[in-house]
């Protein structure tokens, strides 16, 4: 049982500006499809450095619209990561497309580009890279693979607003369809919400129609010229989003500060960033490589191999520190096992990481005392003093 004094896993940054903008919407009477929604889409686009964005009700809705936009369906295989939040594969199942999972890189935890290349075959229709934990996927390699085989790309950047890829391009701004998500634990939140980056004005109009029951902009409320959904974002959510975008750079910088403090303190008790030490030991998130820049979403460590992670979580909980086994592999979830016949052992890197990874409390205003408490608690829970 958690108590109000626990150090939580995540905590949104909601202030007076959010209150002011949400109140304006309430008082305006324009609660949905109003000017605030359009303003949020414009301001997010400006922040990201793209022409336009289309806001929707969730990151999952954004992914679903992306899959439909690319025409992926029955008989199409899409190369993607088994080490992700389940929505990045579910969106393929919604349209009866098949996720073609390939293993991840043990350092970045993103799709291994060589494994992705080896998986491309006659049935491959596309690639769905995920920027997991805010670290940019190997987009230069994956995009040239897609170009070579004429594959569509849908990027799940839901955990990575503000990240930069190996070519120095902002994640989501490369020109292919990309999605973002704004659930309450995300870097920028609208409570629930998502957004898709379209490839041009025509596609933006199609996506706006698809999120709004298939109505074209110039159609009457009860005319529908295509199959659509109710994936609309409300203007309240958009108002929250505007306030969050205004302070996005500060929020991301504050998260980086907390991450750096964790890395320093956990390094002092034997942790090493992935790629800089023993991958079977106590592993911290990898450092940025080359032009790649992480947008810090969560701070997840890997407990040393063969450690009892559940006992570590229980020990931390006793100390009032929330933590979570994060993330389980998608292909091992019951639905995927039953539908696609997966067992264990197919993707050894992803499975090893999934068994060992642990998310620690992580939010922009974490105090030094809280960071110390988590690091000391974790050192004791792991018995780190025995390592030297
Ligand atoms: C990688 C990834 N994809 C998709 C989603 C789905 O977003 P939402 O929860 O807004 O539907 C999330 C959010 O948790 C995510 O982390």
């Amino acid at each position: 049982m958690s108590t109000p004094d626990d150090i939580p896993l995540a905590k949104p940054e909601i202030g007076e500006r959010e209150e002011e903008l949400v109140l304006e919407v309430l008082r305006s009477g324009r609660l949905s499809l109003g000017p605030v929604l359009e303003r949020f889409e414009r301001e997010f686009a400006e922040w990201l450095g793209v022409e336009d964005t289309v806001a929707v009700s969730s990151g999952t809705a954004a992914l679903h619209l992306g899959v439909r936009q690319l025409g992926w369906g029955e008989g199409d295989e899409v190369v993607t990561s088994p080490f992700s939040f389940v929505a990045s594969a579910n969106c393929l199942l919604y349209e009866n497309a098949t996720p073609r999972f390939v293993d991840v890189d043990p350092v970045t935890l993103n799709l291994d580009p060589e494994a992705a290349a080896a998986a491309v075959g006659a049935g491959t229709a596309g690639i769905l890279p995920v920027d997991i934990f805010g670290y940019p996927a190997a987009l230069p390699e994956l995009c040239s693979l897609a170009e070579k085989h004429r594959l569509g790309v849908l990027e799940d950047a839901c955990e990575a607003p503000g990240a930069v890829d190996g070519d120095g391009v902002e994640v989501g701004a490369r020109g292919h369809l990309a999605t973002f998500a704004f659930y309450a634990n995300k870097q920028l939140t609208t409570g629930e919400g998502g957004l898709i980056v379209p490839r041009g004005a025509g596609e933006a109009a199609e996506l706006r129609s698809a999120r709004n029951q298939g109505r074209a902009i110039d159609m009457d409320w009860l005319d529908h010229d295509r199959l659509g959904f109710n994936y609309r974002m409300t203007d309240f959510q958009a108002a929250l989003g505007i306030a969050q975008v205004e302070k996005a750079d500060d929020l991301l910088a504050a998260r980086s500060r907390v991450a750096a403090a964790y890395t320093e303190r956990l390094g002092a008790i034997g942790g090493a960033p992935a790629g800089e030490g023993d991958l079977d030991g106590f592993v911290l998130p990898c450092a940025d490589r080359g032009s790649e820049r992480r947008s810090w979403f969560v701070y997840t460590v890997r407990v040393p191999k063969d450690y009892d992670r559940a006992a570590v979580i229980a020990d931390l909980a006793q100390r009032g520190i929330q933590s979570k086994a994060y993330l389980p592999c998608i292909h091992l979830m019951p639905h995927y096992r039953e539908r696609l016949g997966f067992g264990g052992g197919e993707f050894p890197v992803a499975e090893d990481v999934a068994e060992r990874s642990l998310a620690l409390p992580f939010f922009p205003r974490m105090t030094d005392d809280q960071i110390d408490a988590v690091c000391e608690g974790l050192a004791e829970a792991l018995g780190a003093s025995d390592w030297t």
Side-chain angles (χ1 to χ4, degrees):
M1 268 303 265
S2 61
T3 73
D5 294 332
D6 279 2
I7 305 179
L9 265 177
K11 200 168 169 186
E13 271 300 308
I14 305 296
E16 282 174 17
R17 183 69 176 147
E18 282 80 356
E19 286 178 21
E20 180 191 324
L21 292 177
V22 170
L23 207 56
E24 271 177 28
V25 171
L26 263 179
R27 289 179 175 154
S28 75
R30 297 287 301 277
L31 308 187
S32 188
L33 296 177
V36 174
L37 176 67
E38 285 174 22
R39 188 173 142 204
F40 171 55
E41 291 179 335
R42 245 186 354 258
E43 294 192 4
F44 192 93
E46 267 169 37
W47 178 73
L48 187 62
V50 295
E51 275 297 305
D52 198 3
T53 65
V54 178
V56 290
S57 51
S58 69
T60 308
L63 285 165
H64 186 198
L65 293 186
V67 169
R68 287 181 59 83
Q69 205 60 30
L70 288 159
W72 292 341
E74 188 88 44
D76 291 330
E77 281 189 1
V78 177
V79 175
T80 192
S81 170
F83 188 70
S84 173
F85 182 67
V86 70
S88 61
N90 278 352
C91 65
L92 298 169
L93 299 190
Y94 296 160
E95 294 297 322
N96 292 317
T98 305
R100 174 77 163 84
F101 293 122
V102 300
D103 214 344
V104 297
D105 178 289
V107 172
T108 66
L109 309 183
N110 282 320
L111 264 186
D112 175 343
E114 280 180 24
V120 171
T124 312
I127 307 180
L128 197 162
V130 183
D131 306 303
I132 203 68
F133 300 160
Y135 198 83
L139 293 163
E141 292 89 339
L142 294 171
C143 289
S144 47
L145 179 67
E147 214 170 295
K148 183 170 157 203
H149 297 279
R150 297 172 177 273
L151 306 173
V153 177
L154 173 59
E155 181 180 359
D156 181 340
C158 287
E159 299 188 354
V164 172
D165 73 22
D167 283 336
V169 180
E170 196 100 5
V171 151
R174 259 192 108 90
H176 52 239
L177 280 164
T179 64
F180 291 93
F182 306 121
Y183 182 63
N185 66 345
K186 293 287 191 296
Q187 292 94 320
L188 310 175
T189 185
T190 59
E192 294 283 356
L195 176 146
I196 183 160
V197 182
R199 299 164 297 178
E203 184 161 78
E206 284 169 16
L207 288 164
R208 289 197 168 94
S209 168
R211 78 168 169 199
N212 189 26
Q213 306 283 18
R215 295 176 191 115
I217 206 95
D218 53 356
M219 289 180 99
D220 197 57
W221 188 244
L222 293 179
D223 288 334
H224 310 271
D225 64 356
R226 71 185 73 220
L227 178 66
F229 305 86
N230 178 356
Y231 283 166
R232 296 186 294 268
M233 172 184 269
T234 68
D235 281 48
F236 303 117
Q237 291 164 300
L240 269 176
I242 291 168
Q244 296 271 297
V245 170
E246 283 175 359
K247 60 186 181 194
D249 294 338
D250 291 341
L251 289 174
L252 295 178
R255 293 178 97 90
S256 296
R257 173 195 68 82
V258 176
Y262 264 139
T263 298
E264 189 194 322
R265 282 164 225 202
L266 296 176
I269 61 158
E276 296 174 29
D278 177 10
L279 282 172
D280 289 340
F282 177 31
V283 183
L284 310 179
C286 69
D288 291 344
R289 308 179 311 181
S291 307
E292 294 171 344
R293 294 285 169 272
R294 186 195 294 266
S295 162
W296 284 94
F297 168 48
V298 282
Y299 196 93
T300 50
V301 299
R302 279 174 249 176
V303 300
K305 218 175 171 84
D306 302 325
Y307 258 57
D308 183 352
R309 179 180 57 181
V312 174
I313 293 172
D315 188 328
L316 289 173
Q318 289 285 333
R319 299 167 196 270
I321 297 166
Q322 294 184 5
S323 64
K324 199 173 179 62
Y326 194 82
L327 286 158
C329 280
I330 299 176
H331 66 287
L332 297 181
M333 292 181 184
H335 182 62
Y336 281 81
R337 284 178 186 266
E338 281 160 30
R339 181 161 169 165
L340 298 171
F342 288 112
E346 282 107 320
F347 310 111
V349 179
E351 290 171 27
D352 171 62
V353 175
E355 276 168 20
R356 294 167 52 207
S357 62
L358 181 69
L360 301 178
F362 190 66
F363 46 93
R365 272 186 212 229
M366 261 188 102
T367 62
D368 281 343
D369 285 350
Q370 286 175 316
I371 298 168
D372 280 340
V374 175
C375 295
E376 282 161 22
L378 185 60
E380 284 172 28
L382 289 171
S385 56
D386 296 341
W387 295 346
T388 47

